[in-house]
């Protein structure tokens, strides 16, 4: 066994992989948040709850409709995204004229309602969701032991994040989106239906969260608290990466996941706080975040 | 003109505020009335193992005791402690001070349990704890108003730890929830492992609550080369640890130091099979237990009782027997005297059979080691355990002189 | 008097009368909880209502104040007054450290940073041995006030809590209606203009933050004494969220709003506790309702109806 810094090779690489996986979730969730914040200027506190809904949607599809994992990867984001669009049309759109803080408060309230309802309906101990048989088992890579499903998660997350980044930065749709963020009335004057664009963007951000939820379902129990467990760390990630920066959220998400993983090897008790410590350091040295625009 | 408008509004507000707020009560009753409070987790991680099922168990005990014909009434109130010691303390205080509650049962959650114990002592009422794990309730934190009914960390450690070493699991690695409960469980289990000539190869503590991903700790456990993985945690944490251990193909034997029937139900047999755990009650363990469980399931459809819920039934029943024996008025007046009565009478019910209560407030009964069945061995839902070993009542719990309980006179 | 306008003064007298009369008809421990929460909300309101900064992690100061008071009472057997003051000092010092980091940003960024910092405090409290982790610090004696007043009697304790609350309430009011408070309002209205006038706005904001967190620490310490327990609940993010809701419901930026808000919130929690997770759902619904349709809060709406500033 190779020993690095006194830690066995399989252990270190195993932790790095796990860090990447965690990072994948951070990246996807903060990406959704960044997209929504960039376009709508709303801090979507309900993101964690909608992530949880994605996992529940996958679970419900399996248990009530016998629809398996791979179709659920598409269906669940669509369903929850549609729910997100419904939310946007009825509730969120009323916030645009108000101070940003009200957006935070409203979505916070929304997260309480969603989580409370699910907790009432489904209890807190979580429900099992099996890893699809195609992805079960593990591969022995020699220097480490990798469960196939976890490898798949990193791959899928990476693909989705890259695709999103490409769409926003490199396509004309993305350009229109970015323009609408800068100056909505002007873009509307060009004939673009800006409100619909905004609605679809919100739905898209939510769908990203739901997709992450489906990916998470086999790894964690599907339980109503899974969103709130993530959301606070994800906010720190967003602050570190720079609010509203797509690239920032992706890079920081993966990066912080790796840092957290390494902390777990060397000093496990601090693994929950290390993200916040990094955030404090960033705040002291570069307040706008690693990739953010100056305030 | 303006002034009166304001005055009326303010006056109206005051009255409104007054009506929402709780009032002090103090009305007399005609027939003597006992009031039982079931303080449990109705919405959190312990909802399924205790929760509404525990409340149902109280009612079942009342019905089977036949309260109606005995010349007194019993009222039951239920509250959710939300797994917070301050909520638990507030509810306990209000119940004892304001609502005339005489007995509090259940309280799954060690932190809440300890807090309620001191309130019960302060108000001289009766407290029968069934759900909490911490063995401190009968050690340093013991008092004359509290009885710890179903299990504790010592019992779990003694049964699972000692037995597993005997079965060949002589090297252990712990994954521990980094708070009092997890640490106590690890500490107690380590004593047994080393006492049976096993060794603890290593351990790792993880932040609690909030940790859902145990893969890194599992990797460490596997790398340590230990034969047994001791999970010093409970609820969702244990479920996640087990699921992820399966996913990573961990070859160690999994010791569920605190695992409930509802957790196994949640995990599913294909994941949970082979896990070894300790419960002092299983619905299918003998004829009496089966009979009780059938009666229970007739009311709470679709589930079987866990040991906590069985404990609620058992403790409530014993309390009613004691209260009738000493006289209801006397029981209401003096909690410590009621507890003394409970301790003086031997216990006997369908769930735990014959048992007794020690002077430090520890109820004594045998503990059982179980193994989770393979899916092929199970005949249907809830048929999950097969018996492995039994520890006799006098060995199952910490010896009386070792706890440091001030009630035990040397 | 004290800077109250006439209608506010009448409202103050009404509140004072209620404080004096209620413990004889209403369960005193419930009232003490209301008063502690009210002080917490008033201190919180200082930031959001008058400085315009939403601190989403105020529970950190509340909880730490509670822990310090609980620990000093239990282990060092201090006088209750000193223990509570130490709680306040803790809140202030913590507020200074964390505020220094957070003040660099404003608006939503400030909110998110305070939330994240509070999470750090939460995890610290989880790990640190003196806090007792999940169990918290239990069996905290109520002790004595000024050496001779025994606080184990509920009514005596209530009298002390009421005095602490009134003291804090009047102090906040005094701060707002002082030259310092005027500068704060100016900063809230138009910070660049205030800077151009020569005011070091960051310092003012930080001082206000420290004042707010100190009073929050006092509220936390008092609460720990009343209930004899200091737990993780007092530092976690849902308590932070609750205090935001309490103040929003009562009326942001009003004098009596936070008090009204805590009466309603604590009563609601009391009533709904028996129904399990419905507390969370109800809180969420109220939050959403307040943001969408009831932004002025109860006192704000009443004040608007009566054309008063309450």
């Amino acid at each position: 066994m190779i020993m690095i810094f006194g830690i066995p090779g399989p252990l270190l690489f195993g932790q790095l992989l796990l860090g990447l996986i965690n990072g994948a979730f951070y990246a996807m969730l903060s990406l959704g948040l960044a997209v929504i914040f960039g376009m709508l200027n709303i801090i979507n506190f309900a993101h964690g709850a909608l992530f949880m809904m994605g996992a529940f949607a996958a679970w419900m599809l399996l248990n009530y409709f016998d629809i398996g994992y791979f179709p659920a990867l598409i269906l669940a984001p669509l369903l929850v995204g549609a729910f997100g669009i419904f939310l946007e049309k009825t509730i969120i759109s009323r916030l645009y004229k108000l101070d940003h803080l009200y957006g935070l408060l409203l979505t916070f309230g929304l997260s309480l309602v969603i989580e409370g309802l699910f907790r009432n309906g489904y209890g807190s101990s979580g429900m099992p969701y099996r890893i699809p048989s195609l992805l079960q088992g593990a591969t022995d890579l020699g220097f480490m032991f990798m469960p196939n499903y976890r490898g798949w998660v990193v791959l899928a997350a990476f693909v989705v994040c890259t695709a999103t980044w490409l769409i926003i930065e490199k396509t004309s749709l993305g350009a229109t989106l970015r323009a609408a963020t800068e100056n909505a009335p002007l873009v509307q004057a060009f004939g673009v239906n800006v409100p619909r664009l905004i609605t679809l963007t919100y739905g898209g951000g939510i769908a990203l969260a739901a997709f992450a939820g489906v990916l998470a379902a086999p790894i964690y129990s599907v339980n109503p608290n899974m969103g709130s467990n993530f959301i606070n760390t994800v906010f720190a990630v967003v602050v570190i990466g720079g609010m509203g920066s797509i690239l920032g959220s992706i890079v920081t998400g993966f990066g912080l996941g790796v840092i957290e993983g390494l902390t777990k090897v060397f000093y496990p008790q601090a693994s929950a706080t290390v993200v916040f410590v990094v955030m404090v350091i960033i705040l002291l040295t570069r307040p706008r975040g690693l990739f953010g625009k100056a305030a | 003109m303006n002034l009166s408008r304001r005055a009326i509004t303010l006056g109206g507000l005051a009255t409104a505020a007054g009506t929402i707020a709780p009032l002090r009560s103090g009305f007399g009753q005609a027939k003597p009335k006992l009031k039982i409070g079931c303080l449990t987790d109705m919405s959190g991680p312990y909802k399924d193992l205790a929760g509404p099922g525990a409340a149902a168990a109280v009612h079942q005990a009342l019905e089977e005791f036949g309260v109606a014909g005995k010349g007194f009434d019993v009222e039951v109130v239920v509250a959710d402690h939300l797994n917070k010691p301050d909520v638990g303390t507030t509810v306990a205080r209000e119940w004892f001070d304001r609502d005339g509650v005489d007995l509090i049962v259940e309280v799954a959650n060690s932190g809440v349990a300890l807090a309620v114990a001191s309130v019960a002592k302060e108000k001289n009422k009766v407290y029968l704890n069934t759900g909490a794990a911490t063995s401190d309730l009968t050690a340093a934190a013991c008092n004359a108003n509290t009885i710890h009914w179903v299990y504790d960390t010592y019992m779990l450690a003694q049964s699972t730890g000692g037995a597993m070493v005997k079965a060949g699991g002589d090297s252990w690695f712990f994954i521990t929830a980094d708070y009092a409960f997890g640490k106590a469980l690890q500490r107690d289990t380590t004593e047994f492992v080393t006492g049976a000539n096993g060794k603890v190869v290593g351990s790792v503590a993880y932040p609690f609550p909030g940790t859902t991903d145990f893969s890194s700790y599992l990797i460490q456990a596997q790398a340590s080369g230990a034969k047994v993985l001791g999970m010093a945690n409970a609820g969702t944490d244990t479920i996640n640890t087990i699921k992820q251990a399966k996913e990573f193909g961990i070859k160690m034997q999994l010791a569920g130091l605190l695992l409930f029937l509802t957790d196994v139900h949640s995990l599913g047999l294909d994941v949970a099979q082979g896990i070894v755990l300790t419960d002092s009650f299983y619905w299918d363990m003998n004829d009496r237990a089966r009979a009780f469980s059938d009666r229970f399931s007739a009311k709470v459809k679709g589930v079987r009782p866990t040991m906590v819920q069985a404990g609620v039934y058992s403790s409530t029943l014993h309390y009613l027997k004691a209260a009738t024996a000493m006289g209801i008025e006397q029981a209401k007046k003096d909690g410590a005297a009621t507890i003394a009565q409970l301790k003086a009478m031997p216990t006997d019910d369908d769930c735990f059979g014959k048992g007794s209560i020690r002077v430090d407030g520890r109820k004594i009964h045998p503990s059982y080691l179980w193994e989770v069945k393979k899916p092929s061995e199970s005949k249907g839902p809830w048929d999950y355990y097969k018996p492995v070993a039994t520890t006799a009542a006098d060995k199952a719990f910490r010896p009386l002189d070792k706890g440091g309980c001030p009630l035990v006179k040397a | 008097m004290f800077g109250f306008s006439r209608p506010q003064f009448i409202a103050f007298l009404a509140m004072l009368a209620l404080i004096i009369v209620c413990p004889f008809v209403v369960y005193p421990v419930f009232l003490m909880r209301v008063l502690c929460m009210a002080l917490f909300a008033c201190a919180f309101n200082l930031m959001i209502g008058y400085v315009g900064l939403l601190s989403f992690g105020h529970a950190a100061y509340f909880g730490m104040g509670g822990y310090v008071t609980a620990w000093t009472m239990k282990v060092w057997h201090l006088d209750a007054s000193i223990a509570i003051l130490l709680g306040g000092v803790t809140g202030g010092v913590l507020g200074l450290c964390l505020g220094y980091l957070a003040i660099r940003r404003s608006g939503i960024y400030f909110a998110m940073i305070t939330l994240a910092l509070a999470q750090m405090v939460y995890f610290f409290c989880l790990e640190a041995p003196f806090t007792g982790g999940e169990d918290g610090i239990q069996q905290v004696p109520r002790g004595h006030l000024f050496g001779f007043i025994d606080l184990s009697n509920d009514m005596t304790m209530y009298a002390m809590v009421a005095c602490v609350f009134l003291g804090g309430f009047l102090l906040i009011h005094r701060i707002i209606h002082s030259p310092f408070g005027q500068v704060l309002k100016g900063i809230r209205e138009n910070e660049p203009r205030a800077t151009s006038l020569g005011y070091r706005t960051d310092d003012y904001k930080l001082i206000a933050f420290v004042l707010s967190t100190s009073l929050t620490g006092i509220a936390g310490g008092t609460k720990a004494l009343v209930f004899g327990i200091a737990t993780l609940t007092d530092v976690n993010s849902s308590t932070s969220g609750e205090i935001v809701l309490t103040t929003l419901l009562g009326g942001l930026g009003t004098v009596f709003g936070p008090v009204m808000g805590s009466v309603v919130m604590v009563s609601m929690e009391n009533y709904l506790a028996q129904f399990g997770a419905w507390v969370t759902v109800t809180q969420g619904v109220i939050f959403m309702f307040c943001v969408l349709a009831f932004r002025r809060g109860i006192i704000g709406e009443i004040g608007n109806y009566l054309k008063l500033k309450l």
Side-chain angles (χ1 to χ4, degrees), chain A residues 130-179:
Chain A
R130 223 178 295 144
I131 301 178
S133 35
L134 192 66
L135 293 167
Q136 272 175 15
T139 321
D140 192 349
L141 294 175
F143 60 88
M144 58 172 266
F145 187 80
M146 186 185 80
N148 293 337
Y149 185 73
R150 306 246 170 178
W152 154 255
V153 167
V154 180
L155 190 62
F158 189 69
V159 166
V160 166
C161 287
T162 318
T164 313
W165 181 79
L166 281 171
I167 293 176
I168 294 186
E169 295 290 324
K170 301 288 178 199
T171 63
S172 58
L173 173 65
T176 319
L177 273 171
R178 278 179 289 127

Side-chain angles (χ1 to χ4, degrees), chain B residues 166-177:
Chain B
K166 261 200 291 201
D170 53 5
S171 56
W172 284 62
F173 187 95
F174 285 102
I175 292 183
T176 307

Side-chain angles (χ1 to χ4, degrees), chain C residues 94-118:
Chain C
L94 192 60
L96 185 63
C97 302
L98 299 185
Y100 177 73
L101 291 168
I103 292 280
R104 288 148 180 265
R105 306 287 265 161
S106 60
I108 320 180
Y109 304 87
F110 179 79
M112 289 183 42
I113 292 168
T114 48
L115 174 66
L117 289 172

Side-chain angles (χ1 to χ4, degrees), chain A residues 2-71:
Chain A
I2 334 155
M3 296 291 276
I4 308 173
F5 297 126
I7 314 277
L11 184 59
L12 189 65
F13 288 113
Q15 298 292 24
L16 278 174
L17 170 71
L18 296 179
L20 262 179
I21 294 166
N22 251 9
F25 285 114
Y26 292 153
M28 275 188 292
L29 286 173
S30 58
L31 183 56
L33 268 177
V35 166
I36 293 175
F37 181 71
M39 270 300 288
L40 284 68
N41 261 314
I42 303 255
I43 302 275
N44 189 24
F45 226 101
H47 219 69
L50 292 158
F51 160 77
M52 178 262 289
M53 278 183 77
F56 263 97
W59 182 88
M60 286 184 202
L61 283 171
L62 183 66
N63 285 303
Y64 299 153
F65 301 104
D66 234 348
I67 299 179
Y69 174 81
F70 286 102

Side-chain angles (χ1 to χ4, degrees), chain B residues 36-40 54 58 95 103-107 126-130 312 315-316:
Chain B
I36 300 182
C38 179
L39 181 62
T40 180
V58 176
W95 271 357
L103 161 70
I104 289 188
V105 285
E106 220 300 86
V107 193
V126 181
Y127 171 43
L128 303 177
N129 181 293
T130 56
V312 172
S315 54
T316 312

Side-chain angles (χ1 to χ4, degrees), chain B residues 7-17:
Chain B
I8 295 171
T9 322
L10 288 172
L13 281 176
T15 329

Side-chain angles (χ1 to χ4, degrees), chain B residues 226-308:
Chain B
K227 294 205 193 117
V228 181
L229 177 62
M231 296 180 282
N233 53 21
T236 333
D237 287 359
T238 312
I239 294 178
N240 279 332
T241 316
I242 295 174
K243 279 175 83 164
Q244 287 158 23
K246 180 107 204 266
E247 198 189 323
F248 279 78
I250 300 281
K251 303 285 182 295
M252 305 161 79
Q253 192 172 24
L254 301 175
L257 291 169
L258 179 53
L259 204 65
F260 292 94
L261 188 65
T262 42
D263 297 335
V264 176
H265 185 74
S266 196
L267 280 167
L269 280 180
D270 51 349
V271 173
Q273 59 183 304
I275 296 180
V276 169
L277 59 106
T278 302
D279 265 4
S280 51
F281 167 85
Y282 173 55
W283 68 271
D284 205 14
M285 68 185 188
N286 57 44
D287 288 330
R288 287 183 83 180
R290 256 188 296 278
F292 162 76
S293 307
D294 288 337
R295 299 196 303 265
F296 180 88
S297 299
K299 297 186 194 311
V300 189
K301 306 240 180 306
V303 292
R304 289 292 189 179
T306 61
M307 66 173 168
V308 171

